Amino acid sequence: MGARLLKKGRVEELLNGWAASRRVVVPGPGPDYEDFVPWKGQGFGLPPVNARRSLKGVFFCRTDKLFRYDKRDGEVVFCEELPEGHVVVFGARPCDVRGTAMIDPVFMEDPDLHDPAYKTRRENSTTVVVGCDAPGPACFCTSIGGDPHGKEGADVILTDIGDAYLVETLTGKGEALMEGASLEDAGEDDIKEAARRAEAARGLVEKAFEIDGIKENLDGFFEHEYWKYMYEKCLGCGVCTYVCPTCHCFDVTDEERGPGYTRYRNWDSCQFALFTLHTSGHNPRPTGMERMRQRFMHKLNYFVHKYGVTACVGCGRCVVNCPVNLDIREVVREIGGIPR
Ligand code: SF4
Ligand code: SF4
């Protein structure tokens, strides 16, 4: 499909059409845009930058029912209930979708050890991204390999050109989704205007730091004095990890829900003291220092070693939502300034 136009006045009609046969999620509810919520004809709007919570909760649920089990005639019987139905995500920003693509290998890379609930949701989803035209003061996607009009992980990308969006389908799933939509042909001027706006947006994102060499600086940095003071103002509330599109720590609990038992997976945080507490009473990360070191070493070093990419997309949520203003941009600048 060549470039097409979706008139803004037809967006709700499109969402209503999709919602008749599948689940559609959009940023919402307005005006605060706390999260991604089901589309129920509530009136479509986009947050200026991002929803407060990231897209990860659509696929990696805060609480996920993994399976049920019971003992029958001396045998343990398992019953896995996979999520059903197709999901359309509409209106996510490029950094959020890149964040989801970043954690895909964690849950899906190994065919023998993949996470069935996460994999099923990801495979049964189509994502329509809207490029950012007004990045916020805490955004730094371009410092960390991202782009306010980036296409990584998206099936369709929309670019706001005034009273319409320029529509580009990027995958077969995206093509299938947009088939039958009321789109108009785009002209040369529309395509040029979209390219102009994307370029202008790139220029609006602050250059926060130089990421080259950060991973190498952190190799052998585990015992560095730096960690002994940088964590001190942290309250250990875990907000930075809950709002982050790439943080993916979890815990599992088994609950008796008759008949039988149910295993749940719940979000957890490396910033919580209980996260690594052993049943023996020993805790390998007993203080905030070890926990904060883990957060940054994982994002900026361990994840790069394992997956070749820094586990941060520069969405700025942890910067905006941290109650004590602990700012990842300052941390990276400080690490970059410490001689190897
Ligand atoms: S670490 Fe902060 S800026 Fe980076 S992706 Fe997570 S929430 Fe966004
Ligand atoms: S949001 Fe701030 S205070 Fe809370 S755990 Fe993260 S760094 Fe610490």
Side-chain angles (χ1 to χ4, degrees):
M1 184 193 275
R4 312 287 296 270
L5 291 182
L6 169 63
K7 290 285 185 193
K8 287 186 178 171
R10 306 205 83 148
V11 167
E12 295 191 6
E13 172 191 312
L14 189 62
L15 297 176
N16 288 337
W18 290 334
S21 60
R22 59 204 117 178
R23 192 166 159 248
V24 178
V25 296
V26 296
D32 297 326
Y33 297 100
E34 278 289 311
D35 209 344
F36 285 82
V37 297
W39 170 256
K40 293 181 178 165
Q42 62 268 44
F44 180 71
L46 281 172
V49 181
N50 253 320
R52 184 165 183 232
R53 297 192 184 111
S54 78
L55 181 61
K56 75 177 172 190
V58 173
F59 305 108
F60 168 46
C61 299
R62 262 161 262 173
T63 293
D64 221 345
K65 197 182 193 182
L66 297 182
F67 56 81
R68 290 188 301 112
Y69 61 95
D70 201 0
K71 204 167 184 186
R72 283 184 217 141
D73 303 326
E75 295 285 322
V76 178
V77 182
F78 285 90
C79 173
E80 191 172 55
E81 295 172 9
L82 290 177
E84 290 180 354
H86 194 98
V87 179
V88 175
V89 175
F90 188 91
R93 296 297 190 185
C95 60
D96 249 358
V97 179
R98 181 167 183 244
T100 306
M102 225 174 240
I103 60 170
D104 278 348
V106 174
F107 293 101
M108 313 200 311
E109 184 182 47
D110 186 331
D112 297 325
L113 289 175
H114 69 266
D115 183 297
Y118 181 91
K119 188 165 185 271
T120 303
R121 287 196 190 93
R122 287 293 282 146
E123 288 176 349
N124 295 335
S125 68
T126 309
T127 305
V128 182
V129 168
V130 182
C132 282
D133 285 340
C139 295
F140 59 94
C141 62
T142 53
S143 301
I144 205 149
D147 178 343
H149 283 255
K151 299 172 182 173
E152 185 181 343
D155 296 300
V156 180
I157 184 162
L158 307 183
T159 307
D160 187 338
I161 58 166
D163 63 352
Y165 293 108
L166 186 85
V167 179
E168 286 175 77
T169 50
L170 306 168
T171 64
K173 279 203 280 188
E175 289 270 359
L177 182 73
M178 299 312 288
E179 232 170 60
S182 298
L183 304 179
E184 298 172 15
D185 289 337
E188 274 302 307
D189 287 349
D190 301 317
I191 294 168
K192 278 188 190 152
E193 176 60 7
R196 187 193 68 74
R197 288 190 182 216
E199 198 49 40
R202 287 177 195 119
L204 293 174
V205 185
E206 182 201 346
K207 177 78 179 168
F209 48 71
E210 191 53 66
I211 193 67
D212 290 346
I214 295 297
K215 172 189 145 289
E216 288 73 17
N217 247 24
L218 288 174
D219 287 337
F221 203 80
F222 193 80
E223 301 289 355
H224 200 281
E225 290 286 304
Y226 174 70
W227 304 116
K228 293 188 177 154
Y229 62 85
M230 64 80 64
Y231 81 95
E232 282 175 336
K233 67 179 178 180
C234 173
L235 306 173
C237 67
V239 164
C240 50
T241 57
Y242 275 25
V243 296
C244 177
T246 67
C247 283
H248 51 271
C249 290
F250 60 83
D251 190 13
V252 290
T253 55
D254 287 12
E255 290 186 17
E256 188 172 2
R257 297 261 164 136
Y261 302 83
T262 303
R263 175 158 298 178
Y264 293 94
R265 180 185 54 205
N266 304 295
W267 285 5
D268 207 337
S269 170
C270 61
Q271 299 308 289
F272 294 158
L274 293 183
F275 183 60
T276 48
L277 181 65
H278 298 179
T279 46
S280 65
H282 170 66
N283 192 339
R285 294 185 204 141
T287 75
M289 184 202 85
E290 291 86 3
R291 298 193 278 275
M292 187 58 71
R293 176 174 64 191
Q294 168 63 22
R295 178 180 162 217
F296 286 108
M297 286 295 283
H298 187 207
K299 285 193 173 300
L300 306 171
N301 184 271
Y302 308 152
F303 203 85
V304 191
H305 273 288
K306 187 155 171 60
Y307 297 112
V309 62
T310 306
C312 171
V313 293
C315 71
R317 285 186 177 89
C318 60
V319 177
V320 171
N321 290 293
C322 174
V324 294
N325 301 321
L326 206 151
D327 189 331
I328 187 172
R329 297 170 300 180
E330 281 172 23
V331 173
V332 177
R333 286 194 287 263
E334 285 166 2
I335 292 168
I338 295 172
R340 265 184 257 172

